[in-house]
Amino acid sequence: MDKYLLAVIIGIVFGCLSRFVLLRTDFRQYPTYPQGRIIHLSFGFIAAFIGAVAIPAVLKSDWTAVTFLGLAATQFREVRKMERDTLEKIDEQELVKRGSPFIEGMAQAFESRNYLVMFTALVTTLFSVFTPWLGILGGGVMLVIVKFKRSGKLLADVADITEGEIRFEGPNLYIGDIHIKNVGLEDSRKVIKERAAGAIINPKNENSIVTLSYLGQRQAMLHHVANVLGAYIDSGEPDFIPLSKRDMEDGRIGLFLMPQEKDFNQIKKVLENVPILDSAIRLPSEADKGKRKNPQK
Amino acid sequence: MAEKQTSIVAIVTTKQENIKGGAPTFTVENKETLQKTSTSIAKILGATAHEINPDTIIIVRR
């Protein structure tokens, strides 16, 4: 029994540690500090506990316990719903919205992180049951894996970002050669000329053209820039709302931005670090659409 | 970024004869008042002003 107790404790400790590693409050100001963090750390603890007791329950052939653990694990589906609801409520009041696909991505991340915690605790306990030292080693390895697996692709991986020149042709606003919108008021045009920044996102391949065309992905870019570099906007000033438009010919995206600080190097850096949303990833190149690679065949 | 109903809430023009009904129309004297009137209407309604042609600006709510 003592052997199991030690193993379970080691499992819980590593499980909690991995949740801690995965939890970071950054410029996104999410999870909110400290309430949001407390919620997620306690969820992490419960997840670690469930993961840790699974192996001893199986080893003792306590099948009732195992069944209940399975039930408990399904409760973590609620985490996603909880996060989604909170973020959607917050988003209603946001000047530059995150957009629901971005929210969905974040909610998914929270759910999957709890499963990662559970898995870390499970693996650690599995090793600890045999030798506690092996368990600690296994736990350490899991922490490293968890740390590196957590981040997905970034915008810099799928596209090149160049500066786009802001110009007007009559009332029409262009970023480079991409038409953004029609601005009727001369005052607004003046402000836009002074303060706006333009960026053009050039997709690197066929897949990223489709990925970047996704409105949710584009909204995520706009939100990131507004969030990090500030935004020169207010409610009731629709002329300055950041916009993204697509060149339908070649899939380039023109971004019209109103950052507080107009420094393209910073904008570029921020855009490069925008995550590619899970829901935006498309792989048309993997599909068989009758395009022959080798015409001689 | 769901597309919502777009509607013209007001029309500001210097050439009244080109507009036929629809939204409330404001007839103004010249280009300068055209800009001024459109600016105040757009700010009051929190709507966007779009220039259709040099004589006409429409105020659109999205």
Side-chain angles (χ1 to χ4, degrees):
Chain A
M1 186 60 211
D2 269 349
K3 187 176 76 175
Y4 288 148
L5 185 67
L6 182 67
V8 167
I9 288 173
I10 295 175
I12 293 175
V13 166
F14 274 97
C16 286
L17 272 180
S18 67
R19 188 68 189 100
F20 204 76
V21 168
L22 287 170
L23 189 71
R24 58 171 183 171
T25 302
D26 54 8
F27 64 88
R28 275 171 275 245
Q29 255 309 300
Y30 202 85
T32 41
Y33 179 81
Q35 272 80 356
R37 310 192 95 192
I38 292 170
I39 292 173
H40 288 293
L41 287 177
S42 8
F43 259 121
F45 174 76
I46 298 169
F49 189 76
I50 291 172
V53 292
I55 295 294
V58 171
L59 290 179
K60 283 185 76 186
S61 301
D62 189 348
W63 305 117
T64 333
V66 175
T67 317
F68 267 104
L69 288 175
L71 271 177
T74 56
Q75 293 301 317
F76 283 91
R77 245 184 260 167
E78 288 295 307
V79 174
R80 190 202 293 204
K81 195 174 167 334
M82 175 185 89
E83 280 311 321
R84 185 196 298 133
D85 290 350
T86 324
L87 283 165
E88 266 169 4
K89 286 269 154 50
I90 297 172
D91 211 36
E92 283 170 17
Q93 302 288 322
E94 204 86 54
L95 280 173
V96 180
K97 301 219 180 308
R98 283 188 177 87
S100 38
F102 192 12
I103 290 178
E104 203 54 44
M106 283 170 95
Q108 261 181 335
F110 278 111
E111 188 188 357
S112 73
R113 279 168 196 194
N114 273 307
Y115 293 134
L116 273 181
V117 168
M118 228 182 271
F119 190 59
T120 309
L122 192 136
V123 170
T124 313
T125 321
L126 179 65
F127 286 122
S128 305
V129 166
F130 301 108
T131 332
W133 286 115
L134 200 62
I136 291 172
L137 195 73
V141 172
M142 281 303 291
L143 281 187
V144 175
I145 294 174
V146 159
K147 174 97 181 153
F148 284 102
K149 280 306 268 183
R150 75 165 172 205
S151 45
K153 270 188 172 179
L154 299 175
L155 189 59
D157 299 331
V158 301
D160 295 314
I161 299 148
T162 50
E163 184 165 13
E165 182 209 354
I166 301 265
R167 67 192 169 86
F168 278 102
E169 271 178 31
N172 292 312
L173 169 64
Y174 286 84
I175 304 275
D177 57 340
I178 301 172
H179 178 251
I180 302 290
K181 62 174 176 180
N182 176 306
V183 183
L185 304 177
E186 262 161 27
D187 289 351
S188 301
R189 276 179 232 161
K190 226 171 92 188
V191 176
I192 288 173
K193 257 186 211 154
E194 265 168 36
R195 312 227 33 156
I200 290 179
I201 318 285
N202 306 292
K204 281 185 182 163
N205 56 42
E206 160 181 31
N207 292 334
S208 41
I209 288 177
V210 191
T211 302
L212 290 173
S213 70
Y214 186 46
L215 286 172
Q217 182 61 53
R218 283 150 60 177
Q219 190 60 32
M221 293 179 210
L222 299 175
H223 175 80
H224 259 249
V225 175
N227 208 353
V228 183
L229 297 174
Y232 187 81
I233 51 168
D234 193 13
S235 61
E237 299 279 355
D239 278 349
F240 306 142
I241 289 176
L243 278 176
S244 64
K245 288 281 167 187
R246 179 167 189 253
D247 185 321
M248 286 178 278
E249 203 67 49
D250 52 12
R252 286 173 308 143
I253 306 289
L255 296 182
F256 162 65
L257 305 159
M258 286 298 267
Q260 203 69 260
E261 277 181 81
K262 192 182 163 182
D263 170 10
F264 188 72
N265 279 333
Q266 290 183 42
I267 296 171
K268 190 173 175 189
K269 193 83 207 153
V270 171
L271 282 173
E272 278 174 352
N273 287 315
V274 173
I276 297 298
L277 305 179
D278 278 4
S279 48
I281 296 172
R282 308 286 151 89
L283 297 167
S285 65
E286 303 284 312
D288 178 13
K289 40 191 185 284
K291 211 185 204 177
R292 275 198 220 152
K293 277 179 191 152
N294 190 351
Q296 268 127 24
K297 255 185 203 170
Chain B
M1 268 192 45
E3 294 294 319
K4 283 179 194 147
Q5 190 80 41
T6 311
S7 61
I8 302 182
V9 287
I11 303 166
V12 188
T13 183
T14 52
K15 285 190 178 160
Q16 172 70 52
E17 63 272 18
N18 291 343
I19 315 291
K20 294 250 158 53
T25 313
F26 297 78
T27 315
V28 291
E29 301 293 302
N30 51 36
K31 295 267 160 66
E32 201 184 318
T33 40
L34 177 71
Q35 279 295 330
K36 272 191 184 155
T37 318
S38 318
T39 309
S40 21
I41 298 174
K43 293 279 185 254
I44 292 162
L45 295 174
T48 344
H50 295 290
E51 192 179 308
I52 301 290
N53 55 46
D55 305 312
T56 312
I57 285 180
I58 54 168
I59 315 290
V60 176
R61 190 193 307 255
R62 291 162 202 279

